[in-house]
Amino acid sequence: MGNPPVVVALLLVRVVVGVTMMRHGYNHWRGGGKIAGTGRWFAGLGLRHGELQAWMSVVTEIGAGFLLIVGLFTPLACAAIISVMLVAGLLAHRKNGFFVFKDGYEYVLVLAVVCLLLDVTGPGRFSIDNAAGIEMTGWLGGGVALGVAVLATAGLLATFYRPAPVAAPAAAAPAPAAAAPAAAAPAGSTPAPVPAAPASDGGLVS
């Protein structure tokens, strides 16, 4: 694409999305609870080997973000980002609905679609792909990126996703039966003596 505004726009989108992904990866690595905390978060989503998932996310997000910024192997970089967004959307955000202020999937959906757009248009003139003559755009670029992303996501979930079983709600205890009314004693009769209770065994059963 030789149109200068389009070239600059594609570069801007690549840099913004790439830097965003790299910062996400760095935060998973060094921010907050670091790898251990990120691993616990992944485990809480139902993924086995939480710390392995944390390292995979760090490498994928920093690596794919960098490749997107420089415009190298753009379809694969975008496929990696789309896959990360699919996993996050399905496991962390889908249950919260659409809006990002409710921790919904709005944000990850936008990032995934922007990456799919870059696969269709190509990275633009200011990219290593363009300088090296690597071109995979249009339906082919979009199809390859989306296909790789879906296959990678399905493979990860099939291999590692083992959510904890949902505990069944406890059954309500039945209401105690009403005591039957005692029969009235005949007039003038003496009530039978009540036998003494046996001595307690202290809770021990022989």
Side-chain angles (χ1 to χ4, degrees):
M1 292 186 177
N3 189 344
V6 174
V7 170
V8 173
L10 290 174
L11 176 63
L12 178 63
V13 171
R14 282 182 13 235
V15 169
V16 170
V17 175
V19 170
T20 299
M21 294 308 302
M22 292 186 72
R23 292 205 58 184
H24 269 283
Y26 184 83
N27 185 64
H28 284 164
W29 177 22
R30 304 297 296 173
K34 299 185 170 57
I35 287 294
T38 302
R40 289 191 296 271
W41 181 74
F42 276 114
L45 296 178
L47 292 170
R48 294 187 302 167
H49 310 300
E51 289 201 10
L52 173 62
Q53 304 298 325
W55 278 116
M56 289 171 60
S57 74
V58 168
V59 172
T60 301
E61 291 171 1
I62 292 179
F66 175 77
L67 290 177
L68 193 61
I69 291 171
V70 300
L72 177 61
F73 304 132
T74 304
L76 295 181
C78 288
I81 296 173
I82 293 171
S83 181
V84 170
M85 296 302 107
L86 282 174
V87 173
L90 290 171
L91 300 188
H93 303 291
R94 177 175 54 89
K95 62 182 180 295
N96 300 320
F98 176 76
F99 294 107
V100 68
F101 62 84
K102 294 183 178 180
D103 201 25
Y105 58 86
E106 176 182 10
Y107 169 71
V108 297
L109 175 64
V110 170
L111 282 181
V113 172
V114 167
C115 286
L116 185 59
L117 170 67
L118 285 173
D119 284 317
V120 173
T121 62
R125 178 182 296 177
F126 297 141
S127 65
I128 296 178
D129 282 348
N130 180 72
I134 302 172
E135 183 174 348
M136 188 181 294
T137 58
W139 291 113
L140 178 61
V144 167
L146 188 59
V148 170
V150 170
L151 287 176
T153 301
L156 183 142
L157 295 181
T159 304
F160 295 106
Y161 185 53
R162 300 292 186 273
V166 179
S189 64
T190 303
V194 178
S200 170
D201 61 3
L204 300 176
V205 178
S206 57

